Amino acid sequence: MKTLALLLPFSFLFSAGLFAPAPTLTSVSPSSGVQGAGVPVTLTGANFVSGATVSTNDPPINVFTGIWASNVTVVSATQITATLHIGLKATLGAATITVTTAGGASGPLAFTVNPPAPTLTSVSPASGVQGASVPVTLTGTNFVSGAAVSTTNGGITVSNVTVASATQITAIFTIGGSATAGAANVTVTTSGGASGAVAFTVNPAPPTLTSVSPASGTQGASVPVTLTGTNFVPGATVSTTNNGITVSNVTVVSATQNHRHLHHR
């Protein structure tokens, strides 16, 4: 039998795996996926042969856990395609992938499991005024430790971000005094991706009124007056508690000054 083995063609011994070199694995692309997904991947390396298998160090215990490969196709000696199925509760973080043939097993290569992308359904309260610090609660799904909260308004600073649960984040929005008024987009980002945007509206700060000049007028007169204060914006209205006074020609001259005519009946 020993003599017979020596007379067998080398090609037969190689094809039988007796002298086949172990495969090497140099890359897995893409190198990450999210829980619950089926990820088509391409494995690149050397010495891949028909019958090669792909495995991970996190095999499934049931359909909700682990990572397993299907549709393994040896395209060439340097390329394999497969689908990696990631359980809904697969362990987050780096797993390892190996290729095994009759010649042995490759070295492991990292494949990272990320949580699903977060969703954001509400921000409460949904508005705040310039110059204020607003504690907010963000509600959604798939929030994880390390989640970041951002807005499209450069005048809003986000701080004290706390992931209270997978569905709730608390934070503080500090709105600058010169932050752009109007709706801004708020998003939550984790290692699984970014959420869709939810609106947060910046309103002007409430006006203050420090003086009316002149401060009096006579019955029957129309009195041009100047009102001085802060945070006056176009569209500001002026009113009095005296039904006999009609206000007209309201003009916002600046953020600190309005001109009006008061008509005394």
Side-chain angles (χ1 to χ4, degrees):
M1 292 296 292
K2 189 178 295 183
T3 303
L4 178 62
L6 291 174
L7 294 176
L8 289 173
F10 180 77
S11 59
F12 173 81
L13 297 175
F14 183 84
S15 64
L18 299 179
F19 296 137
T24 62
L25 180 61
T26 55
S27 71
V28 179
S29 179
S31 59
S32 65
V34 301
Q35 290 170 318
V39 185
V41 295
T42 299
L43 292 77
T44 303
N47 304 321
F48 298 158
V49 295
S50 179
T53 60
V54 176
S55 59
T56 81
N57 66 336
D58 186 20
I61 299 173
N62 54 51
V63 295
F64 299 107
T65 63
I67 307 170
W68 66 99
S70 68
N71 301 332
V72 177
T73 302
V74 179
V75 179
S76 68
T78 59
Q79 190 177 85
I80 291 174
T81 60
T83 300
L84 294 182
H85 301 273
I86 307 171
L88 286 169
K89 296 184 179 180
T91 303
L92 295 173
T96 58
I97 307 294
T98 57
V99 174
T100 302
T101 69
S106 70
L109 211 59
F111 181 86
T112 301
V113 176
N114 293 316
T119 65
L120 179 60
T121 53
S122 69
V123 179
S124 180
S127 64
V129 299
Q130 292 166 325
S133 291
V134 184
V136 295
T137 299
L138 292 79
T139 303
T141 62
N142 303 323
F143 298 159
V144 295
S145 178
V149 177
S150 59
T151 82
T152 55
N153 189 328
I156 301 176
T157 301
V158 181
S159 62
N160 295 353
V161 176
T162 302
V163 179
S165 69
T167 60
Q168 191 175 86
I169 291 175
T170 59
I172 294 177
F173 287 0
T174 302
I175 307 171
S178 59
T180 302
N185 288 333
V186 177
T187 55
V188 175
T189 302
T190 70
S191 55
S195 72
V198 169
F200 180 86
T201 302
V202 175
N203 294 316
T208 62
L209 180 61
T210 54
S211 69
V212 179
S213 179
S216 63
T218 60
Q219 290 173 323
S222 291
V223 185
V225 295
T226 298
L227 290 77
T228 302
T230 62
N231 304 322
F232 296 161
V233 296
T237 61
V238 176
S239 59
T240 81
T241 56
N242 188 328
N243 293 331
I245 300 175
T246 302
V247 181
S248 64
N249 298 338
V250 177
T251 302
V252 179
V253 178
S254 69
T256 60
Q257 194 174 80
N258 283 346
H259 288 167
R260 278 99 170 138
H261 278 86
L262 301 183
H263 303 277
H264 298 265
R265 294 197 293 265

